[in-house]
Amino acid sequence: MNSTDTDSNEQPVSIKIMNDGPIVLKGNFTLAYNGVKKEIHDSIISICRCGVSDHMPFCDGQHRKAGFEG
């Protein structure tokens, strides 16, 4: 196996779209946004879908106050 092959022991990334809330990602992956790459290791992050977060692209819970539906 060479270095470009995928490790068969890698766990898949879990993606869940929360009702009226963010997209929740769980696992090991690289998040790329606005020219930034962030390595996520065995963790959970929430990505904003409503567009009103003060910490884009991450959810900060403001969807509740904004009454986001989606």
Side-chain angles (χ1 to χ4, degrees):
M1 179 182 285
N2 66 40
S3 62
T4 60
D5 290 338
T6 302
D7 183 349
S8 62
N9 293 326
E10 287 183 14
Q11 296 296 316
V13 175
S14 166
I15 302 171
K16 184 174 182 179
I17 300 174
M18 304 302 291
N19 191 34
D20 300 334
I23 298 171
V24 178
L25 305 168
K26 180 180 178 182
N28 297 309
F29 54 93
T30 302
L31 179 66
Y33 60 96
N34 296 333
V36 175
K37 285 188 177 181
K38 185 172 185 168
E39 295 293 326
I40 308 296
H41 298 283
D42 196 30
S43 191
I44 299 173
I45 64 168
S46 296
I47 302 296
C48 178
R49 288 197 306 142
C50 71
V52 297
S53 173
D54 287 333
H55 303 287
M56 293 296 278
F58 305 102
C59 176
D60 65 2
Q62 290 194 47
H63 57 275
R64 292 180 197 102
K65 290 181 184 178
F68 176 73
E69 294 180 1

